[in-house]
Structures are given as structure tokens and as C-alpha cells.
Amino acid sequence: MRYVEASDLKDLVLLGGGHSHVGVLRRIGARPLPGVRLTVICRDVRTAYSGMLPGLIAGHYAFDDAHIALEPLCRFAGARLYCDEAIALDLAERKVVCQSGPPIRYDLLSINIGSTPGTSAVPGADGSVVPVKPIQKFIARWEALCQRVLSRESPMRIGVVGAGAGGVEILLAVQFGLGKLLAAQGRSADHLHYYLFTNTGRILPTYNERTRRIFERILAQRRVRVVTGQAVVEVADGRLRCADGGEYALDEILWATAASAAGWLARSGLAVDEKGFVEVSDTLQSISHSNVFAVGDIASLVDHPRPKSGVFAVRQSKALERNLRRALAGRTLAPFRPQRHSLSLISTGDRYAIAARNGWALEGRLLWRWKDWIDRRFIRTFSELPNSPARSG
Ligand SMILES: Cc1cc2nc3c(=O)[nH]c(=O)nc-3n(C[C@H](O)[C@H](O)[C@H](O)COP(=O)(O)OP(=O)(O)OC[C@H]3O[C@@H](n4cnc5c(N)ncnc54)[C@H](O)[C@@H]3O)c2cc1C
């Protein structure tokens, strides 16, 4: 029998517990990686499944229903888990620099840290608005908002900035969730007023005409005031100012604008696109550092640009795991070919959903039940793990 020294092992580090990495861990648990020390660094030990976030806010799910616990998953995969936040990369020394713990060395690094809606371009927004990501912070602010609403009788105005699928879905979920909380106390929600702001001419700019019309109808029925074609240019003292000079007094401003990337990736010297996302080839490797992979929102596929979406992050998982295995074995990597289109299932808070793809859209309660089934099945893949945990090294 030959004992494996730690120095014989190759270090594979997964940075971030996003939608792709949880799938990689699940696969490595089922088929261990010999001769490899696997390490996961993640800010949160529970990884939020964004598809269920609106359902969590609307009150259809408990916290655990919509989160994947990383500890059992890492145990299953034979991985070490460091609960820490990466703040830089030392690409020459091949180390991840963390907020609290010592730097972590890697032979191969994969980055799946997601994105956040950018607030820094709008004066006054940083620190005063509530970005929908990171989701853990958003959930804490949501709980505080619920308490404020419950303890107040006077009118309240709630605005959401950003009318992509995330913004529209979260607004409708917030409206439903707060209405439900008030109804449980026998109170009406008529004193709550909702606003949706977008700098595009219509809501859901990347969706088809039929989907846009369905949501415009639903927002009108729910008495949401939609302000289109106006960039928000300033936030100050509970007021939001638009490019045309229009001002809106708001008690809570939720921020769901386009995704932005962590600035330290570019500062570390990785090749990034004009928005700061890590540029990767179709093997999912950084175009500047072949021992660094990136997937999910934080990656920018140079040959196949795609919108930022959890669906694409989930799909990259299998290709990433295959290429990490090949890279560790010194074999040729295989290209990842993303689908051009994907089906979107967007909920409206009240157990109702719209399915959209290419030029068509369908709506109904049955679609919500289908979405609910898909989402719960996805979470179960990670909560119901087989008994035999993998051993690394
Ligand atoms: C309200 C809302 C609803 C959405 N609904 C859908 C939907 O239904 N379908 C869909 O396809 N997309 C949806 N999206 C988009 C989706 O959220 C993102 O595309 C998806 O989360 C990206 O996944 P990811 O794996 O790249 O990263 P994430 O899921 O964001 O995971 C990032 C992980 O990295 C960790 N992390 C972050 N920074 C660091 C750091 N510096 N150091 C260590 N760890 C770090 C985090 O803790 C987290 O575990 C929605 C978005 C929003 C806002």
C-alpha cells in the first residue's frame, strides 16, 4: 500500500458555491477525483437557488427549501470547505487571497462567484438602495422591510429599479408577500404603492412581444406604476431622480439592474471584458490564464455571448467537471457549446407563471406548478445525497 503525501496531491480550488460548482461537487461525489485535494471557498455556507428566491419572498418556500447546504455537499465530494470571501488572486504564485483566512494555493482554480446588480454608477445608490444580490444580504433586508411594513399604518412607497425578469419577478413577489403578511393580521395592503423603473422603452427588453404584453397587463392589474425610458441618475434622502428630472419619494428602493462583476478580478490581472467579467474560451478556461476556469454569471464566453442566467450556469456544470478532470489528467479539453435559447419560467407572486421562449409565451397556474416541481427536484439533487461519500487523495 502506498500512502499519498499531501505534496503529491494536485490542488483543485472551487471559488464560490454557485449553480455550476454545486453540480461539479455532486458529480465528483459520485465519481471521486484520485490524487486531488479539493477545496471550496465560499462566502456563504448556504447557496441560494435564485429560481426559488421570488417564491421565498412571496412566502411559498421556507429558507431551506430555496438553499443548498454546502457542508454536506462538500463532505460528499471529499472537499475541504472554507467559509471566506475571496478579495484578490495572486496569479503568479497561484493563490486565492481571502478576507479572513490565509491565502489558498491552487494548481487549478475555477471561479463561480456570480454577479451583483451595479449600484456604483448612480450617485447616492451605494449603501442606500437594496440590491437583490448578494441574495443573503437581500433576504436580511427583506425581513427588516417586513417588520417596517407590519409596524406602520401610513402610506409606503416601494420602488424596484430594473425591469428585466429578475426585477419584475421580485416586485410581484414582494407585493404578494407583503399583502399576505398584512392579510394575516386582518389588514389591507392598499396603503402600499409600487413603482417599477427602467431605462428601456419597455419592460423585459430581452423577451418577446407576447411576454412583455402579458407582464404589462399584470403590472397594470396590480396597480404598479411603471416608469419606462428613464435612467435613474441619483438617489438621495429617500428620493430617486430620473434622467428627465422626475423625482419620486420612496420608502424602500430595491435594485435589480444589469449584472456587474467583482472589481478584484480585473485588478488581479485576469483578462476581463469591458464590464469586468472573466473572459473564457469555449473550454471555460480564462483566455489569459489556462489554469483558471470561470463559469456562471462571472464568466464571459468570448465566442458565445449569452445573457446572465442561472440556467446557463447550471448547464455549464457538466462541461466544467469534465474539463477539470481532463486538465488534471493532462488531457485535451472539450469545447462547451451553450444552447442559443432557453425556456424561461417567470412567476408573478401568486402561484402563477409565464413560460417564454423565442417568439411565444404561455401563462397559467399549471405553469407555476411545473416550475415549482422543477425547482424542488433541482434542490433535492443536492439535499438527498447517496450514502457513500467520496474520498479525495
Ligand atoms: C430575483 C431574481 C430571480 C432570478 N430568477 C432566475 C431564474 O428563475 N432562472 C434563471 O436562470 N436565472 C434567474 N436569475 C439569475 C440568476 O440569479 C443568476 O444568473 C445566477 O444566480 C448565476 O449563478 P452563478 O452560479 O453564476 O452565481 P450565484 O448563484 O450568484 O452564486 C455565487 C456564489 O459565490 C459566492 N461568492 C460570491 N462572491 C464570493 C467571493 N468573493 N468569495 C467567495 N464566495 C463568493 C456566493 O456566496 C454564492 O455561493 C434570477 C436573478 C434574480 C435577481
Side-chain angles (χ1 to χ4, degrees):
M1 181 177 176
R2 177 177 173 269
Y3 290 98
V4 179
E5 297 288 334
S7 56
D8 289 345
L9 299 174
K10 283 190 183 157
D11 272 303
L12 169 59
V13 174
L14 302 183
L15 173 54
H19 293 57
S20 317
H21 279 175
V22 290
V24 168
L25 288 167
R26 181 71 177 73
R27 287 187 172 85
I28 291 179
R31 193 159 76 91
L33 271 171
V36 172
R37 179 165 59 184
L38 181 59
T39 304
V40 176
I41 307 168
C42 193
R43 191 185 50 213
D44 307 297
V45 287
R46 300 284 179 95
T47 213
Y49 177 43
S50 54
M52 291 171 99
L53 175 68
L56 176 66
I57 298 300
H60 306 314
Y61 302 124
F63 183 90
D64 283 348
D65 295 335
H67 284 79
I68 296 164
L70 283 185
E71 284 152 319
L73 189 58
C74 285
R75 220 176 299 127
F76 175 67
R80 309 184 291 176
L81 172 63
Y82 291 119
C83 181
D84 209 336
E85 180 166 353
I87 52 169
L89 296 178
D90 182 339
L91 293 162
E93 294 292 321
R94 290 186 292 175
K95 284 179 183 164
V96 179
V97 181
C98 295
Q99 181 83 55
S100 316
I104 301 190
R105 217 194 71 80
Y106 62 83
D107 293 300
L108 217 53
L109 172 68
S110 175
I111 307 173
N112 181 206
I113 59 169
S115 61
T116 52
T119 51
S120 53
V122 177
D126 264 345
S128 67
V129 302
V130 183
V132 291
K133 285 182 146 202
I135 289 177
Q136 311 295 353
K137 275 194 188 162
F138 175 71
I139 292 172
R141 293 287 294 263
W142 160 246
E143 283 163 5
L145 172 63
C146 291
Q147 292 313 315
R148 276 171 64 202
V149 167
L150 286 176
S151 61
R152 209 167 128 165
E153 302 282 344
S154 55
M156 259 186 104
R157 296 184 194 86
I158 298 166
V160 173
V161 179
V168 172
E169 206 178 10
I170 211 75
L171 185 148
L172 293 170
V174 164
Q175 189 184 42
F176 184 83
L178 291 177
K180 196 167 150 181
L181 279 179
L182 288 167
Q185 292 197 344
R187 293 168 59 191
S188 132
D190 287 349
H191 62 297
L192 302 183
H193 304 282
Y194 294 89
Y195 294 75
L196 180 64
F197 299 89
T198 175
N199 58 358
T200 52
R202 304 265 302 272
I203 60 164
L204 299 168
T206 59
Y207 283 80
N208 62 53
E209 180 60 25
R210 178 145 168 72
T211 310
R212 276 198 285 268
R213 275 210 227 116
I214 292 174
F215 274 98
E216 281 165 352
R217 186 198 77 221
I218 291 172
L219 289 164
Q221 283 166 350
R222 307 251 182 109
R223 289 189 288 160
V224 175
R225 177 150 175 215
V226 182
V227 180
T228 56
Q230 289 305 322
V232 171
V233 292
E234 194 182 0
V235 178
D237 306 323
R239 297 186 85 78
L240 178 153
R241 195 160 59 79
C242 290
D244 65 349
E247 285 203 349
Y248 301 83
L250 296 165
D251 298 280
E252 193 80 20
I253 302 171
L254 310 182
W255 208 261
T257 57
S260 73
W264 53 263
L265 290 162
R267 288 195 292 276
S268 299
L270 270 184
V272 296
D273 68 10
E274 70 289 353
K275 290 182 178 156
F277 294 101
V278 181
E279 288 188 303
V280 295
S281 63
D282 57 6
T283 55
L284 305 174
Q285 285 167 293
S286 151
I287 60 166
S288 59
H289 295 78
S290 60
N291 60 343
V292 177
F293 290 69
V295 278
D297 277 11
I298 200 61
S300 168
L301 277 164
V302 290
D303 294 327
H304 310 280
R306 290 290 180 276
K308 305 292 178 200
S309 136
V311 170
F312 290 118
V314 170
R315 290 216 183 111
Q316 285 173 336
S317 164
K318 190 172 172 189
L320 174 66
E321 188 254 353
R322 183 185 55 199
N323 276 349
L324 290 175
R325 261 181 213 282
R326 290 184 178 205
L328 287 161
R331 291 168 53 207
T332 310
L333 308 195
F336 167 70
R337 297 261 180 266
Q339 271 179 261
R340 191 159 290 281
H341 301 288
S342 67
L343 175 79
S344 295
L345 285 165
I346 313 168
S347 58
T348 59
D350 52 351
R351 295 181 190 268
Y352 192 89
I354 285 77
R357 192 185 159 107
N358 303 350
W360 61 265
L362 293 173
E363 59 182 307
R365 297 211 170 274
L366 212 55
L367 288 167
W368 191 86
R369 286 175 59 184
W370 187 39
K371 173 174 164 51
D372 175 58
W373 179 79
I374 294 172
D375 289 344
R376 285 183 189 275
R377 190 184 56 165
F378 179 77
I379 291 283
R380 266 204 309 277
T381 320
F382 302 101
S383 58
E384 294 173 8
L385 297 167
N387 287 327
S388 54
R391 283 187 297 277
S392 68

